[in-house]
Amino acid sequence: RYFLVGSNPAETKYRVLKIDRTEPKDLVIIDDKHVYTQQEVRELLGRLDLGNRTKIGQKGSSGLSRAVSAFGIVGFVRFLEGYYIVLITKRRKMADIGGHAIYKIEDTNMIYIPNDSVRVTHPDEARYLRIFQNVDLSSNFYFSYSYDLSHSLQYNLTVLRMPLETLKTETAQSRQESFDIFEDEGLSTQGGSGVFGICSKPYEKYVWNGKLLEAVRNAVHRDWLLYIIHGFCGQSKLLIYGRPIYVTLIARRSSKFAGTRFLKRGANCEGDVANEVETEQILYDASVMSFSAGSYSSYVQVRGSVPLYWSQDISTMMPKPPITLDQADPFAHVAALHFDQMLQRFGSPIIILNLVKEREKRKHERILSEELVAAVTYLNQFLPPEHAIIYIPWDMAKYTKSKLCNVLDRLNVIAESVVKKTGFFVNRPDSYCSILRPDEKWNELGGCVVSTGRLQTGVLRTNCVDCLDRTNTAQFMVGKCALAYQLYSLGLIDKPNLQFDTDAVRLFEELYEDHGDTLSLQYGGSQLVHRVKTYRKIAPWTQHSKDIMQTLSRYYSNAFSDADRQDSINLFLGVFKPSEGKPHLWELPTDFYLHHKNTLSLPQTRQSYTYWWTTGVLKHLPLPFDEVTCAENRRKLTVKKFHKYEEEIDIHNEFFRPYELSSFDETFCLAMTNSTRDFMPKNVGIDPSPFTVRKPDETGKSVLGNKNNREETVLQRKTAASAPPPPSEEAVSSSSEDDSGTDKEDEGAVSQRSTPVKVTDTGDNTKITE
């Protein structure tokens, strides 16, 4: 047998799993549901060791031998022989949200469970194992022991604080159950000694090991179940005169209809779209580390393929294969399913920003736009007008080529209107400074204002054809706009505006580029081709050769390695299950039938053509249905009452362990992506505020790539364009709309017209040093 011993971080409580190795095909796991102390576990293992020695009383031989130490179980998987267990053997702390650590998986280990004596070998087992291991678990898979990564911060902080009255009825039933892991700040009862711990079910769509845990989900205690997400997680530190503000970016990639660029396009029959990623930016003041006392703010946006049945034929070996619509869908059936999911998770309004080309010599991308407009128009007929889907088409490629337009200016206008409509989440009431220095933009902000703060209602859904380059720049601009509001709501800046070329925005841009590169590698096989600098037209000439290389590597990956990656994703996510007597994964001509379940059997219930949303969703709009207190949502929560001095609840003892000698390196081992210090000027005396506009040659990390070559920097500075701040700011000398009549070529090599910005002096210090 294998014995799996698990403990809490303080190593005071233990659980034991017993895995039977005599079954050649089945998985037999016994969880005794008992919580052991350290002493009891030692005794138990000692007895097992003694009882399993070959000769009783023999000193040398041991009955127990340690196979592996691990940080968690990814899951159990079986191909054609017996089961394997997948364990996390290395991890790295990537971010910290309110004292909850988020880890990246660095290394895993697969162990075959059945004994060699009962093993029934199969010739194709090794090939399946190789395909399964092709999904590199050490790249961009994340988990947390105590924070639910599959839900947004807004969900985690609002649903887990449902009113006490609604929970009291359930405590009687759940008293028999043992404790939950989502416990840190519970709801204190009248007596003062007891605390409610609440645990919510994860959101299946963003969990990547759901199928791997299916075999044991009902057999073991839920402390053993560790849900992992795939995507991106990065955290940077913004120092505002020494006050630490953590900016975190979490991207969750959908595990439904997942795959690579040309092989997964559009949507499947259940309304899940390809390359669907939910990006959440979380901002909080790190000087207070608790969810109940600290200030937390978050903003969520989504990217995803156009929700229609469409595909591109890659057998032609063309760089841009023609787009074909695979099925006529006059009643927008797929789009209805997709937007219904979004209404449930995000509420209204749903805003679509479509960046696909509108004008083309040969009709290529425009096919998608026309079909999407028709679908949205059809669906909007039946929704109440105040909750209608908002559609914004904007041909970003055309604007980029035009010399008269500043792309980021236009995106900034769109971003302002979007954030105004959806609002954002903040967990505390408006700060006093917004009453003292009221801002007219603040009062027009949408969302939902509640007693505890603000809620984001609705979401922006951005797409171009691939949802990679153009989408990332658009999402960055919306994120930058939301970041300004988040900083303002926490009382850190006096106007909800942020300008380019400040340390804060550079830090945020770097985070977004990393995020874009990571998602682009996962879906398209190369890093981003067009970055924010490309659209600002300040990218150095070396960037163009890089872009060509990225395009080539994307093309190579799409032509040669994507099919294998798609197979391994299908196997990992359990879309394809190997079985005797059926065709193998590599023998299938297409995986269409695996992802479109309705092609194999007719659905029992047909969806209504007019009432296309789930019942109950409209009643609660603009609030998302998932966050409303109703019986259905309460079933997803498990509640338990326990003593407030237990280690699980006392987050201070859990985190710092004051009763033992601990080194600071272990407690604060967080690998920050960036800090504002990296971007600050090296010379002393310059205004240290991260919101001061810097010149290109002043910064720590040069924006222009080559930081040694001063002449190139000066040349770049002559031709550099910066998306100007709103006209109300005094720092602007000219805005791109005003001088659009005088279109003159710039000196230097760059031929695109750009908007020069003159910066006013920020203070006396600056003048002296200059």
Side-chain angles (χ1 to χ4, degrees):
R1 289 186 182 80
Y2 277 133
F3 287 92
L4 214 63
V5 181
S7 81
N8 63 347
E11 294 181 14
T12 52
K13 297 188 171 182
Y14 293 81
R15 291 182 181 277
V16 179
L17 277 189
K18 187 164 79 173
I19 304 175
D20 192 4
R21 298 184 63 197
T22 57
E23 288 287 338
K25 290 276 174 100
D26 296 332
L27 183 64
V28 180
I29 287 194
I30 298 154
D31 181 4
D32 57 8
K33 299 277 199 302
H34 182 70
V35 180
Y36 297 89
T37 61
Q38 199 169 25
Q39 185 63 33
E40 287 169 343
V41 160
R42 279 191 187 144
E43 285 169 10
L44 175 76
L45 295 178
R47 282 204 302 276
L48 286 170
D49 185 39
L50 254 168
N52 287 304
R53 286 184 187 169
T54 43
K55 287 180 185 161
I56 293 172
Q58 192 175 350
K59 282 273 162 53
S61 70
S62 68
L64 272 185
S65 59
R66 168 175 288 198
V68 67
S69 325
F71 292 107
I73 306 171
V74 175
F76 297 85
V77 64
R78 146 168 207 267
F79 310 120
L80 296 162
E81 296 180 14
Y83 272 92
Y84 295 82
I85 179 172
V86 187
L87 295 168
I88 301 167
T89 51
K90 268 190 192 166
R91 63 176 191 192
R92 188 164 106 231
K93 189 170 171 186
M94 289 304 287
D96 193 298
I97 299 178
H100 297 275
I102 295 171
Y103 297 99
K104 174 178 181 284
I105 299 177
E106 290 278 289
D107 200 8
T108 55
N109 195 350
M110 271 182 92
I111 298 173
Y112 188 65
I113 292 174
N115 239 321
D116 290 345
S117 56
V118 296
R119 185 167 187 167
V120 185
T121 53
H122 194 286
D124 293 316
E125 178 78 5
R127 188 164 180 185
Y128 273 119
L129 185 60
R130 211 166 45 245
I131 293 174
F132 182 84
Q133 288 175 333
N134 204 10
V135 170
D136 184 8
L137 275 168
S138 64
S139 69
N140 313 115
F141 282 89
Y142 303 91
F143 69 93
S144 172
Y145 298 113
S146 53
Y147 181 81
D148 184 356
L149 281 173
S150 66
H151 280 294
S152 63
L153 183 79
Q154 174 169 319
Y155 180 94
N156 286 339
L157 290 194
T158 51
V159 174
L160 296 172
R161 296 187 166 209
M162 282 186 174
L164 200 59
E165 275 58 47
T166 55
L167 298 177
K168 272 183 185 162
T169 53
E170 296 191 11
T171 45
Q173 305 145 22
S174 59
R175 218 163 255 160
Q176 300 88 20
E177 294 189 35
S178 39
F179 109 96
D180 297 313
I181 56 166
F182 215 118
E183 70 299 336
D184 73 341
E185 279 91 18
L187 305 157
S188 56
T189 51
Q190 282 75 24
S193 63
V195 170
F196 278 117
I198 309 169
C199 176
S200 64
K201 276 186 185 163
Y203 193 66
E204 293 293 332
K205 187 178 195 173
Y206 298 116
V207 172
W208 274 64
N209 59 340
K211 282 278 190 289
L212 300 177
L213 290 172
E214 225 167 40
V216 296
R217 188 171 286 166
N218 301 323
V220 301
H221 187 271
R222 67 176 163 269
D223 283 4
W224 290 104
L225 306 177
L226 192 64
Y227 296 102
I228 62 174
I229 65 161
H230 182 36
F232 173 80
C233 175
Q235 188 168 50
S236 293
K237 188 190 215 168
L238 191 61
L239 278 174
I240 302 176
Y241 294 111
R243 187 174 176 185
I245 305 296
Y246 284 4
V247 183
T248 319
L249 207 58
I250 298 175
R252 315 175 176 90
R253 188 176 274 288
S254 164
S255 62
K256 305 274 192 280
F257 204 51
T260 53
R261 184 175 170 214
F262 283 129
L263 301 174
K264 286 287 156 281
R265 291 298 212 191
N268 68 0
C269 61
E270 283 156 16
D272 300 303
V273 295
N275 196 23
E276 184 171 6
V277 186
E278 182 184 300
T279 301
E280 180 179 25
Q281 58 189 62
I282 297 172
L283 189 82
Y284 73 95
D285 187 342
S287 46
V288 182
M289 269 284 194
S290 126
F291 277 149
S292 44
S295 312
Y296 290 79
S297 172
S298 79
Y299 183 76
V300 178
Q301 44 185 332
V302 176
R303 64 171 73 182
S305 194
V306 182
L308 308 165
Y309 287 122
W310 64 282
S311 62
Q312 282 175 284
D313 178 21
I314 48 166
S315 59
T316 53
M317 293 297 276
M318 288 162 63
K320 281 189 178 175
I323 291 173
T324 49
L325 290 170
D326 301 336
Q327 286 181 34
D329 194 1
F331 299 107
H333 176 78
V334 188
L337 287 165
H338 178 67
F339 290 123
D340 180 32
Q341 280 184 19
M342 293 188 77
L343 284 172
Q344 282 196 51
R345 185 160 167 89
F346 303 109
S348 73
I350 290 170
I351 305 167
I352 304 168
L353 175 58
N354 187 13
L355 305 172
V356 169
K357 288 177 186 168
E358 298 284 335
R359 289 187 190 166
E360 297 169 300
K361 290 181 184 121
R362 202 182 79 250
K363 202 168 169 183
H364 177 62
E365 296 186 5
R366 202 170 82 227
I367 301 170
L368 296 175
S369 288
E370 290 170 359
E371 198 68 18
L372 183 60
V373 171
V376 171
T377 316
Y378 174 81
L379 296 176
N380 270 343
Q381 298 175 80
F382 312 109
L383 278 175
E386 67 272 18
H387 301 310
I389 299 167
I390 300 168
Y391 178 75
I392 308 172
W394 189 56
D395 186 343
M396 190 160 164
K398 187 188 84 181
Y399 268 76
T400 311
K401 285 179 186 142
S402 154
K403 291 179 184 176
L404 302 177
C405 308
N406 190 321
V407 180
L408 298 192
D409 261 12
R410 181 79 187 93
L411 272 175
N412 201 36
V413 174
I414 294 173
E416 282 284 352
S417 70
V418 165
V419 177
K420 199 177 279 183
K421 286 189 182 86
T422 60
F424 61 96
F425 168 72
V426 60
N427 76 332
R428 62 174 215 183
D430 291 349
S431 52
Y432 188 56
C433 62
S434 60
I435 304 164
L436 277 179
R437 293 191 295 271
D439 191 276
E440 67 278 0
K441 277 164 50 174
W442 184 250
N443 300 328
E444 296 165 10
L445 202 60
C448 194
V449 182
V450 287
S451 58
T452 52
R454 287 174 176 272
L455 300 179
Q456 178 182 344
T457 59
V459 74
L460 171 72
R461 182 194 192 283
T462 317
N463 71 274
C464 49
V465 177
D466 294 331
C467 308
L468 300 178
D469 305 12
R470 284 174 268 178
T471 301
N472 200 63
T473 302
Q475 283 199 330
F476 162 72
M477 286 304 290
V478 176
K480 171 178 164 286
C481 176
L483 182 72
Y485 278 105
Q486 289 175 294
L487 287 163
Y488 179 78
S489 73
L490 300 185
L492 300 167
I493 51 179
D494 58 354
K495 278 199 179 81
N497 295 325
L498 282 179
Q499 298 184 25
F500 271 101
D501 294 320
T502 56
D503 298 341
V505 172
R506 253 177 218 154
L507 178 93
F508 189 60
E509 188 183 324
E510 193 103 344
L511 205 54
Y512 247 95
E513 305 266 88
D514 287 353
H515 154 264
D517 281 340
T518 309
L519 298 181
S520 187
L521 273 166
Q522 289 162 13
Y523 183 64
S526 82
Q527 293 184 323
L528 288 175
V529 177
H530 302 300
R531 304 169 172 274
V532 178
K533 293 184 188 67
T534 319
Y535 289 108
R536 281 181 74 191
K537 299 179 182 170
I538 60 166
W541 283 106
T542 49
Q543 186 68 42
H544 296 299
S545 54
K546 267 191 204 155
D547 290 353
I548 295 164
M549 289 311 295
Q550 296 296 1
T551 312
L552 287 174
S553 86
R554 198 176 277 189
Y555 177 65
Y556 172 82
S557 161
N558 297 155
F560 301 109
S561 60
D562 275 6
D564 296 342
R565 279 174 60 210
Q566 184 65 56
D567 280 353
S568 53
I569 289 172
N570 288 343
L571 188 63
F572 184 86
L573 290 173
V575 180
F576 175 87
K577 288 196 175 72
S579 57
E580 289 284 350
K582 284 193 178 165
H584 291 306
L585 180 58
W586 50 88
E587 292 168 358
L588 296 179
T590 168
D591 64 352
F592 183 85
Y593 307 104
L594 302 175
H595 290 274
H596 295 77
K597 296 279 189 283
N598 66 352
T599 49
L600 301 176
S601 62
L602 282 170
Q604 294 300 315
T605 52
R606 290 197 43 201
Q607 191 192 9
S608 162
Y609 288 138
T610 51
Y611 297 106
W612 51 267
W613 50 84
T614 312
T615 46
V617 167
L618 279 197
K619 196 168 65 183
H620 300 291
L621 287 182
L623 280 175
F625 186 62
D626 286 357
E627 292 174 22
V628 175
T629 37
C630 64
E632 196 179 325
N633 286 340
R634 224 164 296 140
R635 278 186 219 111
K636 297 176 190 167
L637 298 178
T638 344
V639 190
K640 186 182 177 288
K641 182 181 171 187
F642 41 129
H643 204 273
K644 70 176 179 187
Y645 294 120
E646 291 187 45
E647 289 103 335
E648 293 94 346
I649 298 175
D650 190 349
I651 194 167
H652 176 265
N653 282 350
E654 183 88 0
F655 194 71
F656 294 107
R657 302 211 208 163
Y659 48 80
E660 64 178 54
L661 182 67
S662 54
S663 72
F664 280 121
D665 293 350
E666 283 171 18
T667 311
F668 302 104
C669 61
L670 183 53
M672 279 278 180
T673 333
N674 275 314
S675 166
T676 25
R677 286 206 183 121
D678 305 341
F679 298 93
M680 275 187 177
K682 294 289 177 257
N683 39 355
V684 191
I686 282 188
D687 183 6
S689 162
F691 308 114
T692 309
V693 178
R694 315 268 187 218
K695 293 171 190 163
D697 53 344
E698 271 183 0
T699 58
K701 264 192 184 180
S702 172
V703 253
L704 305 166
N706 185 358
K707 70 168 93 151
N708 308 329
N709 193 342
R710 181 111 190 190
E711 291 162 28
E712 189 186 335
T713 315
V714 174
L715 173 76
Q716 288 295 348
R717 210 179 129 194
K718 279 183 188 169
T719 57
S722 166
S728 59
E729 298 288 318
E730 57 203 348
V732 175
S733 67
S734 64
S735 141
S736 60
E737 278 81 12
D738 301 346
D739 55 2
S740 55
T742 57
D743 173 25
K744 57 176 190 288
E745 296 290 305
D746 277 336
E747 69 266 40
V750 181
S751 66
Q752 277 102 341
R753 198 196 138 277
S754 46
T755 322
V757 167
K758 187 171 74 190
V759 181
T760 53
D761 291 329
T762 45
D764 297 346
N765 300 358
T766 336
K767 283 182 191 165
I768 297 160
T769 50
E770 279 184 1

